[in-house]
Amino acid sequence: MVKAQSRENGSLYSTGYSYWSRIMDEQETTVAIRLHDNTEPLRKKDRIKILCVDLTNQSSSVQFLICTAGVFVFYLIYGYFQELIFRLEGFKPYGWYLTLIQFGCYTLFGISERQLREDRTRRVPLQMYSFLAFLTVATMGLSNTSVGYLNYPTQVIFKCCKLIPVLIMGIVIQGKKYGTLDVMACICMSVGLILFTLADSSLSPKFDPYGVLLISLALCADAVIGNVQEKTMKSHSASNSEMVLYSYSIGFIYIFIGLAVSGQIWPAFEFCLKHPVKTYGYAVIFSITGYLGVSIVLTLVKTFGALIAVTVTTCRKAVTIILSFMFFTKPFSSQYVWSGLIVLLGIYLNVYSKNKIKWDLASRNAIHRLCNKRRTRHENIQENV
């Protein structure tokens, strides 16, 4: 049904509207996107499952709400344990080893899920998975490693601004076009990000410019991977479990070779053996919640598109920042608040640009009802007089 809506949208709004707007109740956007021909012919209704619960027959609103709730729950737990692991003294240099453990767990989970679903067919070429695995390694490895060099809220606020490279890569990869509101959103997010980083550099003893470089590179890779995943899953009708299994299993090989060549794998292994619960134990919980989160995000990407998925995960990150200050002691400044609000303004502008018709119509209706009530009240008063 969603794909049928996107095809209809492409024909009705070919010069100024996109696939995203049709999904969200025909809301206005200035995106122009050309989907490949092989995404338009529609098969029977795609099955949508979350944790083995079939949501295919539910409305798109119910599917979206359940996916969003799943993203929040699992990724909040994921973020908590990620910061907790790096609180262990001496773990800072071993971010890539943590990523290796994570990729290994994801591979095992992917194999188990495909066995349970009896889905053993690979639909996407291995060359594409090799490229996706490289991007996944860059995204998660650099992101995990950056936690050792940055205050955790700073790392998260950078990830909140993933919309900037996503929009840029959307133009480069999918030929999209964006309007004034999207540009203003990018500017707000950029300004807020700069101010947040400046506050962190002056307050946090943990701040290191190297961490900024790491998370910036992770964002660039993440921007590419969202668009590539979307096109790949739609073009080849790939399942979430297939995408996760091959991306992370090949990525595991990449990381293992890199750590073995650099000589970092044995020191990391010895260190973690000294603290098995706080490293391997937390890493397993971290990986389980991350895997479930990834699966749900992929469902969001496949069902609602990359931009909607990024918007949901960005809102989740805002909650993560608040919880990080609540659970872990760290320096605080009011500059964190208002620079974060500028970033949220950018996010709001971006969401508004995708919901403009619906929101404007709702506003006009509300004003119209208010005016009618006042007019009726005034007429009643005149009659009584």
Side-chain angles (χ1 to χ4, degrees):
M1 178 178 66
V2 172
K3 291 187 178 180
Q5 290 174 333
S6 71
R7 180 178 60 181
E8 179 185 353
N9 178 66
S11 62
L12 292 176
Y13 303 94
S14 59
T15 59
Y17 295 84
S18 77
Y19 150 80
W20 319 113
S21 59
R22 187 63 177 171
I23 292 174
M24 303 302 288
D25 298 325
E26 296 187 27
Q27 299 153 11
E28 183 184 31
T29 179
T30 53
V31 179
I33 176 174
R34 294 184 182 87
L35 296 178
H36 286 319
D37 291 338
N38 56 1
T39 65
E40 291 192 0
L42 193 64
R43 301 171 307 276
K44 291 184 178 180
K45 196 173 185 180
D46 288 337
R47 305 203 68 78
I48 300 173
K49 287 188 176 182
I50 300 293
L51 301 180
C52 299
V53 177
D54 196 337
L55 303 178
T56 307
N57 295 324
Q58 300 295 326
S59 68
S60 60
S61 297
V62 171
Q63 294 171 0
F64 177 75
L65 288 175
I66 292 176
C67 288
T68 300
V71 168
F72 269 76
V73 170
F74 292 123
Y75 270 117
L76 287 176
I77 298 173
Y78 174 90
Y80 174 80
F81 278 96
Q82 185 181 38
E83 184 169 6
L84 191 62
I85 290 171
F86 278 93
R87 287 270 167 169
L88 178 63
E89 186 176 354
F91 192 78
K92 177 179 176 179
Y94 304 127
W96 280 104
Y97 187 72
L98 173 63
T99 310
L100 179 71
I101 298 173
Q102 186 179 9
F103 274 54
C105 290
Y106 282 16
T107 300
L108 294 177
F109 299 154
I111 293 172
S112 301
E113 184 177 358
R114 285 174 67 80
Q115 290 295 327
L116 289 173
R117 294 186 177 186
E118 297 183 352
D119 179 14
R120 299 178 180 84
T121 303
R122 177 175 55 81
R123 298 178 177 86
V124 180
L126 282 177
Q127 295 89 335
M128 178 58 70
Y129 276 130
S130 298
F131 178 56
L132 280 171
F134 173 79
L135 294 174
T136 306
V137 167
T139 299
M140 300 186 67
L142 293 171
S143 179
N144 285 342
T145 305
S146 70
V147 179
Y149 299 91
L150 290 176
N151 197 5
Y152 190 73
T154 303
Q155 189 243 25
V156 174
I157 203 74
F158 263 88
K159 294 168 76 173
C160 283
C161 295
K162 184 169 64 175
L163 286 169
I164 300 173
V166 163
L167 295 182
I168 295 173
M169 295 303 174
I171 295 172
V172 174
I173 295 175
Q174 299 198 49
K176 297 180 180 179
K177 296 179 181 178
Y178 297 94
T180 304
L181 285 174
D182 292 309
V183 174
M184 291 174 61
C186 287
I187 293 174
C188 287
M189 284 187 281
S190 299
V191 171
L193 182 60
I194 292 170
L195 294 174
F196 198 98
T197 305
L198 289 175
D200 194 49
S201 64
S202 62
L203 289 175
S204 176
K206 193 179 180 181
F207 181 84
D208 189 329
Y210 181 60
V212 175
L213 174 62
L214 291 175
I215 192 62
S216 298
L217 293 174
L219 286 186
C220 292
D222 207 4
V224 177
I225 198 172
N227 287 282
V228 174
Q229 279 178 340
E230 180 187 351
K231 292 183 69 174
T232 301
M233 292 178 76
K234 290 183 179 297
S235 298
H236 299 279
S237 302
S239 64
N240 291 354
S241 58
E242 178 190 337
M243 183 70 64
V244 170
L245 172 61
Y246 285 95
S247 296
Y248 287 95
S249 60
I250 297 174
F252 178 87
I253 297 172
Y254 288 166
I255 299 173
F256 185 85
I257 293 174
L259 289 175
V261 171
S262 63
Q264 296 180 18
I265 193 166
W266 185 250
F269 177 73
E270 287 186 322
F271 176 87
C272 291
L273 277 182
K274 296 177 182 178
H275 311 276
V277 175
K278 292 184 177 181
T279 54
Y280 291 117
Y282 290 170
V284 170
I285 299 174
F286 166 76
S287 299
I288 291 173
T289 54
Y291 179 83
L292 296 174
V294 166
S295 179
I296 296 176
V297 168
L298 284 174
T299 300
L300 271 176
V301 170
K302 188 174 183 179
T303 308
F304 297 99
L307 192 59
I308 298 300
V310 168
T311 302
V312 171
T313 55
T314 297
C315 292
R316 186 274 306 172
K317 293 183 183 78
V319 177
T320 300
I321 292 174
I322 297 172
L323 294 180
S324 178
F325 279 108
M326 291 175 60
F327 289 119
F328 300 98
T329 303
K330 51 177 67 69
F332 182 79
S333 167
S334 60
Q335 187 171 337
Y336 282 139
V337 177
W338 57 267
S339 58
L341 290 175
I342 294 175
V343 173
L344 288 178
L345 174 61
I347 296 171
Y348 168 79
L349 289 174
N350 181 263
V351 174
Y352 172 68
S353 71
K354 306 299 175 290
N355 294 268
K356 191 173 184 298
I357 284 182
K358 184 178 180 180
W359 289 13
D360 286 352
L361 180 61
S363 299
R364 286 194 296 268
N365 289 338
I367 294 172
H368 182 68
R369 286 194 298 269
L370 181 61
C371 291
N372 285 339
K373 286 181 180 180
R374 289 184 177 180
R375 187 182 301 111
T376 302
R377 188 182 300 115
H378 179 72
E379 292 173 352
N380 291 336
I381 293 174
Q382 291 297 325
E383 290 176 359
N384 292 332
V385 172

